[in-house]
Amino acid sequence: RILGGRFGAYRPGGGFYLWLDVGDGEAAARRLWSRAGVRVLPGAYLARPDASGYNPGAAYVRVALVNSLEVTELALESIRDTLGEPG
């Protein structure tokens, strides 16, 4: 509801992580921490590059939905607003 399908987000059937396609997971994680105080994990940190050097997680961040509903909603709003800003 908060992300409105942005970044490939959808409501998972189970689990407590969202994987968001942000283009560059490491840059997005740094930006979210420095501008919004939101910590996410770059997807590249959870995957291995293949033989050609391609890391399938590089474009993603993993968001853990583990806090209270109110805090989680605020964090998702911050993600939406921060990553919607240019550069």
Side-chain angles (χ1 to χ4, degrees), residues 36-62:
V38 174
R39 288 188 214 171
V40 298
L41 188 65
Y45 293 12
L46 298 167
R48 289 185 173 197
D50 63 17
S52 70
Y54 171 73
N55 186 319
Y60 296 87
V61 293
R62 185 183 77 167

Side-chain angles (χ1 to χ4, degrees), residues 2-3 18 63 65 72-81:
I2 293 171
L3 296 177
L18 291 179
V63 180
L65 306 173
T72 299
E73 287 178 340
L74 287 172
L76 291 174
E77 289 168 357
S78 291
I79 290 169
R80 177 197 63 208
D81 297 345

Side-chain angles (χ1 to χ4, degrees), residues 6-42:
R6 289 183 182 129
F7 317 111
Y10 65 93
R11 185 175 181 170
F16 50 91
Y17 295 112
L18 291 179
W19 286 86
L20 304 180
D21 185 348
V22 294
D24 181 338
E26 199 167 315
R30 282 193 307 270
R31 187 171 180 193
L32 286 168
W33 178 240
S34 68
R35 295 190 184 181
V38 174
R39 288 188 214 171
V40 298
L41 188 65

